[in-house]
């Protein structure tokens, strides 16, 4: 008969239990032995793959107490194959299970470019489909007054516009001020580009780099962060880190919510 020896380790020498955290895609953790910090991009049986801010991948075993999450020791575990149905959308709204997309309204929300539209879709897409609001992009605001005039906003077809870098005294500010229709609302955020409206902490960086005036801002950001200077790939990396409204700055959140309320208001 096999004999089992009692555990004589003093209580104060036993490791304290640590939380188990599902290795969901986008979760940023650090492997303490190597110092490698990155976001989860894949979790398979017994291993997890991380991607750092330079795009480098490393595979680590899913060992107990194997990672740091916001400075705390955790045990990463494989996510459940059948996650619970979310009760809230990415924007924080109450989810409506089985809701069908509403027929599109005559009203619209315009944003400056494709990246803006993709970010709005990722966070507010469920809400917009329920409300029947379509988002289109302008590729700049220089022609905004003529675009608004051509749209002919009215009580049953309101127009909301989201502008980048809407700061008093700027060109964008003067153009926005020239739109006077009571059925059109132009609002904006203070960031140079929609990229900057994503919280740095969600990307695993301390802050967005400062790019000297006169340089291409997006390419300057890529250089400063050591990323390949392919702004399309850089944006997809940024967008992949956005899982909900919690990953965005309040200055953007409030403005998008304001536009949705304006466009969907009853005449």
């Amino acid at each position: 008969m096999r004999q089992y020896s009692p555990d004589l380790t003093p209580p104060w020498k036993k490791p304290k239990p640590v939380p188990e955290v599902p290795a969901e895609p986008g979760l940023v953790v650090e492997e303490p032995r190597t110092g490698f910090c990155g976001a989860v991009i894949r979790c398979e049986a017994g291993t997890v793959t991380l991607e750092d801010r330079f795009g480098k991948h490393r595979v680590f075993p899913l060992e107990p107490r194997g990672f740091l999450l916001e400075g705390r020791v955790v045990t990463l575990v494989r996510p459940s194959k059948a996650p619970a149905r979310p009760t809230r959308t990415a924007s924080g709204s109450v989810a409506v299970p089985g809701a069908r997309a509403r027929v599109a309204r005559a009203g619209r929300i315009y944003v400056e470019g494709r990246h803006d539209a993709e970010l709005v879709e990722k966070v507010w897409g469920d809400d917009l489909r329920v409300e029947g609001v379509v988002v289109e992009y302008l590729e700049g605001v220089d022609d905004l007054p003529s675009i608004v005039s051509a749209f002919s906003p009215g009580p049953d077809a309101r127009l909301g516009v989201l502008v980048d870098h809407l700061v008093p005294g700027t060109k964008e500010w003067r153009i926005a001020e020239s739109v006077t229709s009571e059925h059109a609302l132009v609002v904006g955020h203070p960031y140079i580009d929609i990229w900057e409206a994503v919280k740095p902490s969600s990307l695993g960086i301390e802050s967005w780099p400062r790019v000297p005036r006169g340089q291409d801002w997006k390419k300057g950001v890529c250089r400063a962060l050591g990323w390949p200077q392919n702004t399309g790939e850089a944006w997809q990396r940024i967008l992949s880190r956005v899982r909900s409204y919690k990953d965005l700055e309040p200055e953007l959140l409030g403005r998008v919510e304001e536009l949705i309320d304006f466009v969907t208001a009853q005449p």
Side-chain angles (χ1 to χ4, degrees):
M1 182 175 179
R2 186 174 178 180
Q3 299 294 320
Y4 291 89
S5 301
D7 184 359
L8 301 178
T9 305
W12 60 87
K13 289 189 176 181
K14 292 182 179 180
K16 295 181 179 180
V18 300
E20 292 187 346
V21 178
E24 300 284 359
L27 181 72
V28 178
V29 295
E30 178 183 349
E31 203 285 324
R33 288 175 295 183
T34 62
F36 189 89
C37 182
V40 174
I41 61 170
R42 189 181 307 110
C43 186
E44 300 170 327
T47 65
V48 62
T49 303
L50 305 182
E51 180 187 57
D52 70 6
R53 64 190 182 95
F54 302 109
K56 184 178 180 180
H57 292 186
R58 290 281 298 272
V59 180
F60 297 99
L62 287 175
E63 296 179 343
R65 307 171 65 88
F67 297 88
L68 298 177
L69 175 61
E70 297 180 349
R72 297 182 301 169
V73 178
V74 298
T75 296
L76 290 188
V77 295
R78 195 174 184 183
S80 169
K81 292 183 179 180
R85 176 176 291 177
T87 57
R88 292 192 175 272
T89 66
S91 72
S93 301
V94 176
V96 183
R100 294 184 178 182
R102 178 174 173 170
V103 175
R105 295 174 181 266
R108 293 286 189 273
I109 291 177
Y110 284 174
V111 297
E112 282 206 46
R114 182 170 59 85
H115 294 178
D116 306 65
E118 289 176 345
L119 185 61
V120 170
E121 161 61 28
K122 185 160 188 179
V123 176
W124 287 275
D126 290 339
D127 305 35
L128 294 168
R129 280 182 284 278
V130 168
E131 295 290 349
V133 177
V134 175
V135 175
E136 300 181 10
Y137 58 90
L138 303 169
E139 291 293 359
V141 296
D142 290 349
D143 298 322
L144 183 59
S146 60
I147 291 171
V148 173
S149 178
F151 184 87
S152 298
D156 297 316
R158 292 186 167 200
L159 177 63
V161 183
L162 180 70
V163 177
D164 296 343
H165 199 224
L166 192 60
V167 178
T170 61
K171 177 191 74 173
E172 292 83 1
W173 178 268
R174 291 190 293 273
I175 292 173
E177 288 289 289
S178 68
V179 176
T180 58
S181 172
E182 64 178 309
H183 303 299
L185 175 65
V186 181
V187 300
H189 56 76
Y191 306 110
I192 295 173
D193 189 90
I194 197 70
W195 291 19
E196 206 176 6
V198 178
K199 290 181 177 178
S201 57
S202 298
L203 302 175
I205 60 177
E206 292 185 3
S207 62
W208 283 100
R210 292 185 177 275
V211 178
R213 192 178 182 86
Q215 292 188 17
D216 182 286
W217 188 82
K218 290 179 180 178
K219 291 183 178 180
V221 165
C222 291
R223 282 194 298 270
L225 294 177
W227 295 352
Q229 291 187 47
N230 182 320
T231 56
E233 289 183 4
W235 170 242
Q236 291 306 313
R237 176 182 299 183
I238 294 166
L239 188 62
S240 71
R241 301 294 192 269
V242 176
R243 291 172 289 174
S244 76
Y245 71 97
K246 296 180 181 179
D247 296 304
L248 303 180
E249 298 288 359
E251 290 84 354
L252 175 66
L253 295 174
R255 302 296 74 76
V256 175
E257 298 286 352
E258 186 178 357
L259 289 177
I260 294 174
D261 290 345
F262 178 80
V263 173
T264 59
Q266 296 298 321

